[in-house]
Amino acid sequence: MTVAAIPAPVTTRSQRRKWSERLFVAVLFIGLAARGGFSYPRGLNSTASNAATPGKASPMAFAHVAAPVEKEDGGYGRIATLVAIPALFVVMCRQTSKVLRRAEAPKHGHGNPDILPPVMTGLFLWVILMSGIQQGIVPVPGLEGKQNEFLPIVLTFIAGYGIIVLEEVTEIHKTATALILGVMIWAFIGTGVTMPSEEFETAVSDTLKDISEVVFFLLGALTVVELMDAHKGFDIITASIKATKKKELMVIIGVLTFLLSSVLNNLTVVIVMVSLLQKLVKEDDFRRKLGGLVVVASNAGGAWTPMGDITTTMLYIGGQVTTVRLLGNLLFPSIMCLVGTLGWELIQMKDGPFERPAASGAKEEAPVGQAFVFWGGLAGMIFVPVFSALTQCPAWSGMMLNLGMLALITSLLHEPNDDRFSLKGALSRIEVADALFFLGVLFAVGGLERVGILKALAEKLSEICPIDSLVAILLGFASAVVDNVPLVAASQGMYDLTQHPPDDALWNLITYCAATGGSLLVIGSAAGVAFMGMEKNVTFGWYVKAIGPAALMGYFFGVAGIMGQQAAGLAITSS
């Protein structure tokens, strides 16, 4: 009786799998037939007179594309194409679910393979619904003009960020969500937004170029720090820090981070300081707390120098601020931001001794070249902005030069096959997932920038609030959610230099708010994202609860410092 009962369910599953595979193939071929192949014009007739102008597309090019032309395929080919991809996932998840159920892995027994099919089906239905809205098949009341093209992009971005925010609840790795989000944003742009094919390709290339510079910089910095750590270079600093109390150590770390970030890139400072904390503090909660404060202090320290933060550099190159006046106008507010943040934590925290990581029983001999590798790597990081200024090369190339020089030194100091100290060994130990998380998040934000959504957000804020100073403060809050680079670029286009000359009070406020507003959320700045990747137990929710109040206090302390300085007539202006 038992033997006779076995074949039926197996046959049923097999039949369902075959029909699912046939459905996938049919949908794929329908999509290709409707499109006439993989290469097709994106929403424009191939003979349309409003073809893209050759050359680099401006960030706002997509928002001002000429009037749409009649679509060749009515939109059905695009939908069929997007349907085919998630359909394949649905087919595959059935087999994956069955394999996982049979797998004998007690340590993963808490998993729930049964949730795979509904999750993949939900993703499939989301793509169908959003595509239907873009093509006008699914009507949404109240949408006018091209709003149906942009609404699915915004909704997908919000949904993706929501899943990243709820990582500790959903248990979905943030890197996986970020990668899917980044690609889906651009998939909806490419299939649903009316634009010339050449313009789309240029936009993707330009965005990927900008992101690649950040990712290569991150990989270079992580590897340099790994080589420094392999030579126990951080022991030099930890041995010199004699603090035994938590509050004392917090002040030291905050001030040190603030000073370093005025001459180093914020991303570099966070990587170095978090690595230092991992060698200095054993208690997870306290170490994460200090790491969060490092993010705030690094953003505050980078606000008052032209090379300390990318947005400050943008405004400096754009002529909105000048070096001497920037230092004079933003040093005090930046210090106030640090004071407000540390002051809040010092009041809230109970003081007491902190525990350092246990040292090994026998004192280990320092590796050959310990001090040389550590100080050489640190000096190389400090030299990166100088190298970029002298050679006009991007920052990532300076970091790669530093990595190459450090790898050359270590290869001469040690045996060629000793992976403990070699470049090969360091590359095998760094977290590539951190860089991929960067890639996904920045790719998604880059899509919003290219279609003009972020500029529209900035302009909407200006319409809602006619007070310029309040708009600048709100831009700081907005930079906690999306990348502050496009927001600053939008503000540069919103306000004219004839109305607000260089070093005007408004530019000082925008500079400060854009640089420090990203500290309000962990995903609001490159420094926060790097910290989130390096400390595995850091989540969006934890940062909001543990660091958010202190960051908010510091933010408003700095704003009060700027306004008080201006009210007292102490601000340095060009007039």
mmCIF file of all heavy atoms in Angstrom, residues 367-404:
data_model
loop_
_atom_site.group_PDB
_atom_site.id
_atom_site.type_symbol
_atom_site.label_atom_id
_atom_site.label_comp_id
_atom_site.label_asym_id
_atom_site.label_seq_id
_atom_site.Cartn_x
_atom_site.Cartn_y
_atom_site.Cartn_z
ATOM 1 N N PRO A 367 55.098 41.286 13.480
ATOM 2 C CA PRO A 367 55.561 40.908 12.139
ATOM 3 C C PRO A 367 56.614 41.887 11.628
ATOM 4 O O PRO A 367 56.675 43.049 12.051
ATOM 5 C CB PRO A 367 54.289 40.972 11.287
ATOM 6 C CG PRO A 367 53.165 40.887 12.260
ATOM 7 C CD PRO A 367 53.655 41.546 13.514
ATOM 8 N N VAL A 368 57.416 41.412 10.730
ATOM 9 C CA VAL A 368 58.437 42.265 10.123
ATOM 10 C C VAL A 368 57.760 43.423 9.391
ATOM 11 O O VAL A 368 56.822 43.225 8.616
ATOM 12 C CB VAL A 368 59.301 41.453 9.134
ATOM 13 C CG1 VAL A 368 60.316 42.359 8.429
ATOM 14 C CG2 VAL A 368 60.013 40.316 9.866
ATOM 15 N N GLY A 369 58.224 44.632 9.651
ATOM 16 C CA GLY A 369 57.681 45.802 8.980
ATOM 17 C C GLY A 369 56.369 46.298 9.551
ATOM 18 O O GLY A 369 55.623 47.006 8.862
ATOM 19 N N GLN A 370 56.055 45.970 10.798
ATOM 20 C CA GLN A 370 54.779 46.361 11.402
ATOM 21 C C GLN A 370 54.560 47.869 11.316
ATOM 22 O O GLN A 370 53.562 48.342 10.759
ATOM 23 C CB GLN A 370 54.725 45.915 12.865
ATOM 24 C CG GLN A 370 53.457 46.335 13.591
ATOM 25 C CD GLN A 370 53.566 46.157 15.108
ATOM 26 O OE1 GLN A 370 54.647 46.337 15.679
ATOM 27 N NE2 GLN A 370 52.464 45.797 15.745
ATOM 28 N N ALA A 371 55.476 48.647 11.869
ATOM 29 C CA ALA A 371 55.317 50.100 11.898
ATOM 30 C C ALA A 371 55.394 50.697 10.494
ATOM 31 O O ALA A 371 54.629 51.614 10.157
ATOM 32 C CB ALA A 371 56.382 50.727 12.801
ATOM 33 N N PHE A 372 56.286 50.150 9.663
ATOM 34 C CA PHE A 372 56.460 50.702 8.326
ATOM 35 C C PHE A 372 55.196 50.520 7.488
ATOM 36 O O PHE A 372 54.762 51.447 6.790
ATOM 37 C CB PHE A 372 57.656 50.027 7.648
ATOM 38 C CG PHE A 372 58.048 50.665 6.344
ATOM 39 C CD1 PHE A 372 58.694 51.887 6.323
ATOM 40 C CD2 PHE A 372 57.767 50.031 5.145
ATOM 41 C CE1 PHE A 372 59.049 52.484 5.119
ATOM 42 C CE2 PHE A 372 58.115 50.614 3.931
ATOM 43 C CZ PHE A 372 58.763 51.840 3.929
ATOM 44 N N VAL A 373 54.612 49.328 7.561
ATOM 45 C CA VAL A 373 53.390 49.053 6.786
ATOM 46 C C VAL A 373 52.225 49.887 7.303
ATOM 47 O O VAL A 373 51.454 50.459 6.516
ATOM 48 C CB VAL A 373 53.056 47.546 6.825
ATOM 49 C CG1 VAL A 373 51.667 47.286 6.230
ATOM 50 C CG2 VAL A 373 54.101 46.745 6.077
ATOM 51 N N PHE A 374 52.083 50.001 8.620
ATOM 52 C CA PHE A 374 50.953 50.733 9.175
ATOM 53 C C PHE A 374 51.042 52.217 8.838
ATOM 54 O O PHE A 374 50.108 52.796 8.280
ATOM 55 C CB PHE A 374 50.888 50.545 10.692
ATOM 56 C CG PHE A 374 49.793 51.340 11.353
ATOM 57 C CD1 PHE A 374 48.478 50.926 11.265
ATOM 58 C CD2 PHE A 374 50.078 52.509 12.038
ATOM 59 C CE1 PHE A 374 47.459 51.661 11.849
ATOM 60 C CE2 PHE A 374 49.065 53.244 12.634
ATOM 61 C CZ PHE A 374 47.757 52.822 12.539
ATOM 62 N N TRP A 375 52.159 52.841 9.170
ATOM 63 C CA TRP A 375 52.281 54.278 8.932
ATOM 64 C C TRP A 375 52.369 54.585 7.438
ATOM 65 O O TRP A 375 51.897 55.635 6.985
ATOM 66 C CB TRP A 375 53.488 54.840 9.672
ATOM 67 C CG TRP A 375 53.346 54.798 11.166
ATOM 68 C CD1 TRP A 375 54.087 54.070 12.046
ATOM 69 C CD2 TRP A 375 52.390 55.507 11.952
ATOM 70 N NE1 TRP A 375 53.652 54.270 13.333
ATOM 71 C CE2 TRP A 375 52.607 55.157 13.307
ATOM 72 C CE3 TRP A 375 51.355 56.398 11.654
ATOM 73 C CZ2 TRP A 375 51.857 55.656 14.350
ATOM 74 C CZ3 TRP A 375 50.602 56.909 12.704
ATOM 75 C CH2 TRP A 375 50.849 56.549 14.021
ATOM 76 N N GLY A 376 52.954 53.674 6.690
ATOM 77 C CA GLY A 376 52.994 53.867 5.247
ATOM 78 C C GLY A 376 51.613 53.806 4.622
ATOM 79 O O GLY A 376 51.269 54.624 3.748
ATOM 80 N N GLY A 377 50.796 52.839 5.059
ATOM 81 C CA GLY A 377 49.421 52.745 4.542
ATOM 82 C C GLY A 377 48.589 53.946 4.927
ATOM 83 O O GLY A 377 47.819 54.476 4.111
ATOM 84 N N LEU A 378 48.735 54.417 6.182
ATOM 85 C CA LEU A 378 47.980 55.581 6.635
ATOM 86 C C LEU A 378 48.416 56.843 5.896
ATOM 87 O O LEU A 378 47.578 57.657 5.480
ATOM 88 C CB LEU A 378 48.158 55.754 8.140
ATOM 89 C CG LEU A 378 47.263 56.794 8.824
ATOM 90 C CD1 LEU A 378 45.799 56.443 8.655
ATOM 91 C CD2 LEU A 378 47.609 56.908 10.309
ATOM 92 N N ALA A 379 49.720 56.989 5.706
ATOM 93 C CA ALA A 379 50.218 58.153 4.973
ATOM 94 C C ALA A 379 49.745 58.123 3.524
ATOM 95 O O ALA A 379 49.423 59.162 2.933
ATOM 96 C CB ALA A 379 51.746 58.183 5.025
ATOM 97 N N GLY A 380 49.672 56.915 2.945
ATOM 98 C CA GLY A 380 49.173 56.787 1.582
ATOM 99 C C GLY A 380 47.731 57.217 1.457
ATOM 100 O O GLY A 380 47.331 57.848 0.465
ATOM 101 N N MET A 381 46.918 56.902 2.459
ATOM 102 C CA MET A 381 45.518 57.328 2.450
ATOM 103 C C MET A 381 45.410 58.853 2.537
ATOM 104 O O MET A 381 44.580 59.468 1.856
ATOM 105 C CB MET A 381 44.764 56.675 3.612
ATOM 106 C CG MET A 381 44.547 55.187 3.452
ATOM 107 S SD MET A 381 43.626 54.492 4.838
ATOM 108 C CE MET A 381 43.402 52.806 4.286
ATOM 109 N N ILE A 382 46.248 59.441 3.381
ATOM 110 C CA ILE A 382 46.228 60.903 3.505
ATOM 111 C C ILE A 382 46.687 61.554 2.196
ATOM 112 O O ILE A 382 46.225 62.640 1.831
ATOM 113 C CB ILE A 382 47.126 61.338 4.683
ATOM 114 C CG1 ILE A 382 46.568 60.790 6.007
ATOM 115 C CG2 ILE A 382 47.252 62.846 4.759
ATOM 116 C CD1 ILE A 382 47.449 61.063 7.216
ATOM 117 N N PHE A 383 47.578 60.875 1.483
ATOM 118 C CA PHE A 383 48.124 61.422 0.241
ATOM 119 C C PHE A 383 47.137 61.338 -0.926
ATOM 120 O O PHE A 383 47.322 62.032 -1.929
ATOM 121 C CB PHE A 383 49.405 60.661 -0.115
ATOM 122 C CG PHE A 383 50.065 61.130 -1.376
ATOM 123 C CD1 PHE A 383 50.680 62.375 -1.429
ATOM 124 C CD2 PHE A 383 50.067 60.335 -2.506
ATOM 125 C CE1 PHE A 383 51.292 62.817 -2.601
ATOM 126 C CE2 PHE A 383 50.669 60.761 -3.682
ATOM 127 C CZ PHE A 383 51.297 62.007 -3.729
ATOM 128 N N VAL A 384 46.089 60.525 -0.803
ATOM 129 C CA VAL A 384 45.151 60.321 -1.919
ATOM 130 C C VAL A 384 44.570 61.636 -2.440
ATOM 131 O O VAL A 384 44.609 61.893 -3.656
ATOM 132 C CB VAL A 384 44.041 59.327 -1.526
ATOM 133 C CG1 VAL A 384 42.903 59.348 -2.551
ATOM 134 C CG2 VAL A 384 44.604 57.923 -1.433
ATOM 135 N N PRO A 385 43.981 62.506 -1.611
ATOM 136 C CA PRO A 385 43.443 63.762 -2.156
ATOM 137 C C PRO A 385 44.510 64.662 -2.754
ATOM 138 O O PRO A 385 44.245 65.380 -3.725
ATOM 139 C CB PRO A 385 42.766 64.422 -0.946
ATOM 140 C CG PRO A 385 43.367 63.783 0.244
ATOM 141 C CD PRO A 385 43.706 62.390 -0.167
ATOM 142 N N VAL A 386 45.715 64.620 -2.201
ATOM 143 C CA VAL A 386 46.805 65.418 -2.766
ATOM 144 C C VAL A 386 47.171 64.886 -4.151
ATOM 145 O O VAL A 386 47.369 65.654 -5.101
ATOM 146 C CB VAL A 386 48.034 65.388 -1.835
ATOM 147 C CG1 VAL A 386 49.193 66.183 -2.424
ATOM 148 C CG2 VAL A 386 47.663 65.920 -0.454
ATOM 149 N N PHE A 387 47.244 63.578 -4.273
ATOM 150 C CA PHE A 387 47.539 62.947 -5.561
ATOM 151 C C PHE A 387 46.483 63.308 -6.601
ATOM 152 O O PHE A 387 46.802 63.629 -7.754
ATOM 153 C CB PHE A 387 47.606 61.428 -5.376
ATOM 154 C CG PHE A 387 47.729 60.649 -6.657
ATOM 155 C CD1 PHE A 387 48.959 60.497 -7.275
ATOM 156 C CD2 PHE A 387 46.610 60.070 -7.238
ATOM 157 C CE1 PHE A 387 49.072 59.779 -8.457
ATOM 158 C CE2 PHE A 387 46.710 59.356 -8.420
ATOM 159 C CZ PHE A 387 47.950 59.214 -9.033
ATOM 160 N N SER A 388 45.212 63.279 -6.189
ATOM 161 C CA SER A 388 44.129 63.617 -7.113
ATOM 162 C C SER A 388 44.216 65.074 -7.562
ATOM 163 O O SER A 388 43.981 65.387 -8.726
ATOM 164 C CB SER A 388 42.776 63.350 -6.454
ATOM 165 O OG SER A 388 42.634 61.976 -6.137
ATOM 166 N N ALA A 389 44.559 65.971 -6.643
ATOM 167 C CA ALA A 389 44.656 67.385 -6.988
ATOM 168 C C ALA A 389 45.831 67.658 -7.924
ATOM 169 O O ALA A 389 45.736 68.485 -8.838
ATOM 170 C CB ALA A 389 44.789 68.221 -5.715
ATOM 171 N N LEU A 390 46.941 66.947 -7.726
ATOM 172 C CA LEU A 390 48.136 67.197 -8.528
ATOM 173 C C LEU A 390 48.042 66.573 -9.916
ATOM 174 O O LEU A 390 48.535 67.142 -10.898
ATOM 175 C CB LEU A 390 49.381 66.667 -7.806
ATOM 176 C CG LEU A 390 49.782 67.382 -6.511
ATOM 177 C CD1 LEU A 390 50.977 66.691 -5.873
ATOM 178 C CD2 LEU A 390 50.108 68.851 -6.787
ATOM 179 N N THR A 391 47.442 65.396 -10.008
ATOM 180 C CA THR A 391 47.442 64.648 -11.272
ATOM 181 C C THR A 391 46.119 64.705 -12.014
ATOM 182 O O THR A 391 46.051 64.232 -13.148
ATOM 183 C CB THR A 391 47.788 63.177 -11.005
ATOM 184 O OG1 THR A 391 46.754 62.586 -10.197
ATOM 185 C CG2 THR A 391 49.128 63.051 -10.285
ATOM 186 N N GLN A 392 45.062 65.213 -11.387
ATOM 187 C CA GLN A 392 43.709 65.224 -11.953
ATOM 188 C C GLN A 392 43.139 63.817 -12.104
ATOM 189 O O GLN A 392 42.130 63.620 -12.779
ATOM 190 C CB GLN A 392 43.699 65.925 -13.324
ATOM 191 C CG GLN A 392 44.246 67.343 -13.317
ATOM 192 C CD GLN A 392 43.466 68.253 -12.371
ATOM 193 O OE1 GLN A 392 42.239 68.262 -12.379
ATOM 194 N NE2 GLN A 392 44.177 68.995 -11.551
ATOM 195 N N CYS A 393 43.783 62.841 -11.503
ATOM 196 C CA CYS A 393 43.279 61.465 -11.539
ATOM 197 C C CYS A 393 42.199 61.296 -10.472
ATOM 198 O O CYS A 393 42.222 61.971 -9.443
ATOM 199 C CB CYS A 393 44.409 60.468 -11.278
ATOM 200 S SG CYS A 393 45.631 60.383 -12.603
ATOM 201 N N PRO A 394 41.229 60.386 -10.681
ATOM 202 C CA PRO A 394 40.178 60.173 -9.685
ATOM 203 C C PRO A 394 40.736 59.599 -8.390
ATOM 204 O O PRO A 394 41.837 59.018 -8.369
ATOM 205 C CB PRO A 394 39.228 59.181 -10.374
ATOM 206 C CG PRO A 394 40.053 58.518 -11.420
ATOM 207 C CD PRO A 394 41.041 59.538 -11.870
ATOM 208 N N ALA A 395 39.964 59.754 -7.323
ATOM 209 C CA ALA A 395 40.430 59.333 -5.998
ATOM 210 C C ALA A 395 40.710 57.838 -5.937
ATOM 211 O O ALA A 395 41.640 57.403 -5.250
ATOM 212 C CB ALA A 395 39.410 59.733 -4.940
ATOM 213 N N TRP A 396 39.909 57.044 -6.655
ATOM 214 C CA TRP A 396 40.104 55.592 -6.575
ATOM 215 C C TRP A 396 41.475 55.186 -7.115
ATOM 216 O O TRP A 396 42.079 54.223 -6.626
ATOM 217 C CB TRP A 396 38.992 54.842 -7.314
ATOM 218 C CG TRP A 396 39.023 54.979 -8.806
ATOM 219 C CD1 TRP A 396 38.351 55.874 -9.573
ATOM 220 C CD2 TRP A 396 39.767 54.168 -9.725
ATOM 221 N NE1 TRP A 396 38.626 55.706 -10.898
ATOM 222 C CE2 TRP A 396 39.490 54.649 -11.031
ATOM 223 C CE3 TRP A 396 40.634 53.092 -9.586
ATOM 224 C CZ2 TRP A 396 40.046 54.087 -12.174
ATOM 225 C CZ3 TRP A 396 41.203 52.529 -10.729
ATOM 226 C CH2 TRP A 396 40.902 53.020 -12.003
ATOM 227 N N SER A 397 41.984 55.920 -8.109
ATOM 228 C CA SER A 397 43.294 55.582 -8.653
ATOM 229 C C SER A 397 44.392 55.858 -7.628
ATOM 230 O O SER A 397 45.374 55.115 -7.538
ATOM 231 C CB SER A 397 43.552 56.358 -9.948
ATOM 232 O OG SER A 397 43.574 57.761 -9.709
ATOM 233 N N GLY A 398 44.237 56.935 -6.849
ATOM 234 C CA GLY A 398 45.193 57.203 -5.785
ATOM 235 C C GLY A 398 45.181 56.116 -4.727
ATOM 236 O O GLY A 398 46.236 55.717 -4.213
ATOM 237 N N MET A 399 43.968 55.613 -4.395
ATOM 238 C CA MET A 399 43.883 54.528 -3.417
ATOM 239 C C MET A 399 44.497 53.245 -3.972
ATOM 240 O O MET A 399 45.167 52.488 -3.245
ATOM 241 C CB MET A 399 42.418 54.296 -3.024
ATOM 242 C CG MET A 399 42.231 53.288 -1.904
ATOM 243 S SD MET A 399 43.071 53.761 -0.369
ATOM 244 C CE MET A 399 42.049 55.147 0.140
ATOM 245 N N MET A 400 44.300 52.978 -5.259
ATOM 246 C CA MET A 400 44.902 51.791 -5.865
ATOM 247 C C MET A 400 46.420 51.921 -5.929
ATOM 248 O O MET A 400 47.145 50.922 -5.796
ATOM 249 C CB MET A 400 44.321 51.573 -7.265
ATOM 250 C CG MET A 400 42.895 51.066 -7.267
ATOM 251 S SD MET A 400 42.773 49.447 -6.456
ATOM 252 C CE MET A 400 40.984 49.201 -6.459
ATOM 253 N N LEU A 401 46.923 53.135 -6.143
ATOM 254 C CA LEU A 401 48.363 53.354 -6.101
ATOM 255 C C LEU A 401 48.902 53.048 -4.704
ATOM 256 O O LEU A 401 49.946 52.395 -4.557
ATOM 257 C CB LEU A 401 48.679 54.805 -6.482
ATOM 258 C CG LEU A 401 50.151 55.220 -6.373
ATOM 259 C CD1 LEU A 401 51.024 54.400 -7.319
ATOM 260 C CD2 LEU A 401 50.312 56.718 -6.661
ATOM 261 N N ASN A 402 48.189 53.496 -3.697
ATOM 262 C CA ASN A 402 48.579 53.207 -2.314
ATOM 263 C C ASN A 402 48.590 51.702 -2.068
ATOM 264 O O ASN A 402 49.526 51.162 -1.465
ATOM 265 C CB ASN A 402 47.609 53.903 -1.360
ATOM 266 C CG ASN A 402 47.974 53.707 0.099
ATOM 267 O OD1 ASN A 402 49.141 53.486 0.438
ATOM 268 N ND2 ASN A 402 46.981 53.779 0.967
ATOM 269 N N LEU A 403 47.556 51.012 -2.548
ATOM 270 C CA LEU A 403 47.484 49.553 -2.380
ATOM 271 C C LEU A 403 48.632 48.870 -3.111
ATOM 272 O O LEU A 403 49.257 47.930 -2.578
ATOM 273 C CB LEU A 403 46.139 49.043 -2.904
ATOM 274 C CG LEU A 403 45.952 47.518 -2.918
ATOM 275 C CD1 LEU A 403 46.092 46.936 -1.516
ATOM 276 C CD2 LEU A 403 44.595 47.159 -3.515
ATOM 277 N N GLY A 404 48.916 49.317 -4.332
ATOM 278 C CA GLY A 404 50.010 48.711 -5.087
ATOM 279 C C GLY A 404 51.352 48.889 -4.403
ATOM 280 O O GLY A 404 52.169 47.952 -4.340
#
